[in-house]
């Protein structure tokens, strides 16, 4: 329901189109401005240093003049892609650490990160990043398909894990599980066992 084009024109949204930027950088179509390296410079330098990407995030969220972000949100979709592009897990986790320090601590905002995980995966680097992010997150939304297979009325389930143990020592994490069905323009959530197929 949000008009992202209008938000971008009004300066409420800064968007880095990663795939387009990667292609332009790799095939030399990008016109680099002097003194401003590409946020994805690590592709050209064959290093896994994500400092230029962090600098892009920091500069994008830095208030200019009378404008100021009130509770900025950094969305990273999909962090696993950085690993596929050749960065190391340590570089990815350092990038997220510096983003958390800048966005969450200094600007009092939030970070939302998407990563893909699969229990049967043999991608140890990706699983290392996923596990580390889970340990440092306040809220985890774990979306997965049904273990029983395909169902036309239930497409999967989502576990919402609130990490109370990060704020209060000795507290147990609170987990809620819902099932969902994806529709044309929205998603319907319901408690387990309350789908249209059952009722």
């Amino acid at each position: 329901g949000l008009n992202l084009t209008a938000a971008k024109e009004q300066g409420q949204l800064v968007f880095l189109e990663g795939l387009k930027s990667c292609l332009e950088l790799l095939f030399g179509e990008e016109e680099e401005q002097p003194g401003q390296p590409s946020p994805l410079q690590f592709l050209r330098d064959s290093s896994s240093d994500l400092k230029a990407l962090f600098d892009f995030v920091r500069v994008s969220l830095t208030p200019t003049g009378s404008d100021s972000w009130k509770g900025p949100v950094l969305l990273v979709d999909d962090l696993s892609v950085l690993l596929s592009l050749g960065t190391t897990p340590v570089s990815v986790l350092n990038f997220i650490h510096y983003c958390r320090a800048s966005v969450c601590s200094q600007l009092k905002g939030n970070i939302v990160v998407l990563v893909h995980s699969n229990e049967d995966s043999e991608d140890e680097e990706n699983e290392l990043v996923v596990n580390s992010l889970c340990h440092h997150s306040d809220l985890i939304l774990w979306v997965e398909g049904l273990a029983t297979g395909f169902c036309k009325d239930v497409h999967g389930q989502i576990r919402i894990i609130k990490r109370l143990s990060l704020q209060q020592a000795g507290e147990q994490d609170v987990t809620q599980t819902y099932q969902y069905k994806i529709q044309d323009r929205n998603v319907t959530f319901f408690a387990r066992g309350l789908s249209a197929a059952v009722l």
Side-chain angles (χ1 to χ4, degrees):
L2 296 175
N3 186 341
L4 296 180
T5 305
K8 189 173 180 181
E9 290 171 357
Q10 295 170 2
Q12 297 174 329
L13 171 70
V14 177
F15 178 70
L16 172 63
E17 192 171 349
L19 183 58
K20 183 179 176 185
S21 297
C22 282
L23 292 174
E24 290 174 348
L25 188 68
L26 289 173
F27 297 112
E29 299 170 10
E30 184 180 36
E31 299 173 10
E32 273 192 41
Q33 299 173 3
Q36 285 187 324
S38 166
L40 303 176
Q41 188 66 35
F42 68 91
L43 291 171
R44 184 176 287 167
D45 294 344
S46 68
S47 72
S48 60
D49 184 12
L50 298 175
K51 184 179 183 316
L53 184 58
F54 171 70
D55 288 340
F56 172 81
V57 169
R58 186 179 44 78
V59 169
S60 297
L61 294 177
T62 300
T64 56
S66 61
D67 295 338
S68 66
W69 298 95
K70 290 192 168 85
V73 177
L74 171 64
L75 299 172
V76 182
D77 175 27
D78 166 8
L79 197 62
S80 304
V81 172
L82 291 174
L83 293 172
S84 299
L85 292 173
T87 59
T88 64
V90 171
S91 296
V92 172
L93 293 173
N94 283 341
F95 168 71
I96 290 297
H97 171 76
Y98 284 111
C99 286
R100 287 182 66 204
S102 179
V103 176
C104 300
S105 298
Q106 293 175 357
L107 301 173
K108 306 300 181 207
N110 290 300
I111 298 177
V112 178
V113 177
L114 170 71
V115 288
H116 288 96
S117 178
N118 186 349
E119 292 178 0
D120 300 332
S121 173
E122 294 181 9
D123 187 349
E124 294 176 3
E125 291 183 341
N126 189 65
E127 293 307 308
L128 176 68
V129 170
V130 170
N131 290 334
S132 181
L133 288 175
C134 286
H135 286 297
H136 291 97
S137 297
D138 295 318
L139 183 69
I140 301 167
L141 304 177
W142 195 276
V143 180
E144 57 194 353
L146 292 175
T148 55
F150 176 77
C151 175
K152 69 175 189 164
D153 294 307
V154 181
H155 292 144
Q157 72 177 13
I158 180 171
R159 282 186 292 152
I160 303 169
I161 305 166
K162 295 179 185 174
R163 301 291 311 282
L164 298 179
S165 56
L166 289 178
Q167 297 146 2
Q168 302 163 351
E171 291 291 323
Q172 292 291 321
D173 296 341
V174 176
T175 302
Q176 298 172 306
T177 303
Y178 297 96
Q179 292 180 329
Y180 65 88
K181 179 178 181 178
I182 301 172
Q183 298 169 334
D184 287 338
R185 296 187 143 229
N186 62 2
V187 179
T188 304
F189 295 94
F190 40 86
R192 285 186 289 188
L194 296 180
S195 70
V198 175
L199 299 177

